[in-house]
Amino acid sequence: MRPVIGLPVCQQDGKQQFVTQTYLNAVTDSGGLPLLLPLLPDQISSDTYLKLCDGFLFCGGGDITPLLFGQEPLTSRGTTDLAMDRFHLDLMTQALESQKPILAICRGMQVMNVALGGSLFQDLSLRPLSSLSHMQPSLLRSDPSHTITLQKHSMLSDILGDTAYVNSFHHQCIDRPGRNLRVTAQASDGVIEAIEQNRHPFAIGVQWHPECLYHSQPSMKKLFTGLVNASAGIVP
Ligand code: MN
């Protein structure tokens, strides 16, 4: 039986809740069964979602409400959704505690960081250092945009090696990493591009979008097969 990978919906517009197709493809192509997890009123669902799923994939989406990491709003860029934020943070907190495998992409990585008490730069322009353009203008989301350097002896360097080419669709980034989080990849401007939680069997956050890259860069698929295998109880 395929391991069940829970995907909390990443966006809603009042009439629809959805997950982008590329995330479903990445899980299916890697041997998992994607299960979409809707946002329901009053967080009645997280306990059940946790029992139903063997692992979790947290997807990209909007910005996290700054109040949730202790800041006043400093930029009008991006959109926020407080109910979605609370849903994701609650489920992430429980998933981390459960030790079930988690791959967190883009906003998902930021959710992992905030769930563990970390903070974000609300916009890259608010960093004290100058930043690369992390919102790539290419027509195809599968085009690489910038390089990253990986920390040795990390789960991610075991998967990708010392350096990698990644795509980039974010205007925010991690400022202060949360509890027990190790920074395992950075761009050349120092922007944090990946995190892993210490003493967790598989909790990886990446700022880029591997679900758009794995056809052209097969090594990126190992992030998803790693998630699915860990969710099946196979130790990497
Ligand atoms: Mn980037």
Side-chain angles (χ1 to χ4, degrees):
M1 201 173 98
R2 288 176 169 238
V4 175
I5 307 299
L7 284 79
V9 294
C10 27
Q11 288 179 60
Q12 61 171 346
D13 64 7
K15 291 183 178 171
Q16 303 174 81
Q17 299 190 20
F18 51 92
V19 168
T20 306
Q21 181 72 39
T22 44
Y23 297 104
L24 305 178
N25 296 346
V27 171
T28 307
D29 290 347
S30 303
L33 178 77
L35 180 66
L36 270 57
L37 308 176
L39 166 62
L40 299 173
D42 302 324
Q43 297 176 20
I44 57 173
S45 48
S46 291
D47 290 351
T48 309
Y49 290 166
L50 206 66
K51 293 191 186 90
L52 281 173
C53 302
D54 301 305
F56 294 91
L57 175 60
F58 284 78
C59 305
D63 295 352
I64 299 173
T65 304
L67 290 173
L68 295 172
F69 50 94
Q71 293 182 11
E72 299 286 343
L74 302 174
T75 176
S76 57
R77 286 192 71 186
T79 54
T80 58
D81 179 339
L82 185 60
M84 189 68 77
D85 293 340
R86 286 181 165 147
F87 168 45
H88 285 177
L89 286 166
D90 183 56
L91 186 60
M92 178 67 82
T93 300
Q94 294 198 43
L96 285 166
E97 286 173 359
S98 76
Q99 300 276 296
K100 290 195 175 180
I102 304 166
L103 176 61
I105 292 174
C106 199
R107 166 188 163 86
M109 175 178 100
Q110 298 175 1
V111 169
M112 181 182 285
N113 189 53
V114 171
L116 292 166
S119 68
L120 309 176
F121 285 114
Q122 293 176 37
D123 191 75
L124 288 164
S125 63
L126 298 168
R127 292 179 76 224
L129 304 169
S130 64
S131 303
L132 301 173
S133 170
H134 284 270
M135 192 64 79
Q136 71 186 64
S138 67
L139 285 174
L140 294 176
R141 289 174 73 85
S142 55
D143 287 345
S145 174
H146 67 75
T147 56
I148 55 169
T149 303
L150 295 112
Q151 288 287 317
K152 292 189 190 312
H153 310 299
S154 60
M155 291 186 79
L156 208 57
S157 68
D158 288 347
I159 292 170
L160 297 177
D162 296 335
T163 60
Y165 293 97
V166 297
N167 51 9
S168 196
F169 303 95
H170 58 108
H171 77 98
Q172 299 191 317
C173 70
I174 289 177
D175 178 4
R176 188 185 68 251
R179 291 182 296 280
N180 294 324
L181 284 178
R182 178 183 173 198
V183 174
T184 53
Q186 286 173 280
S188 60
D189 56 3
V191 162
I192 294 171
E193 290 276 340
I195 52 176
E196 295 174 19
Q197 194 184 26
N198 300 318
R199 298 185 296 280
H200 189 294
F202 193 102
I204 296 177
V206 299
Q207 186 63 72
W208 69 93
H209 284 270
E211 79 282 3
C212 301
L213 287 175
Y214 71 93
H215 291 291
S216 53
Q217 290 190 50
S219 61
M220 292 290 172
K221 193 173 175 189
K222 295 183 194 167
L223 285 166
F224 299 100
T225 52
L227 170 69
V228 170
N229 289 340
S231 300
I234 300 168
V235 178

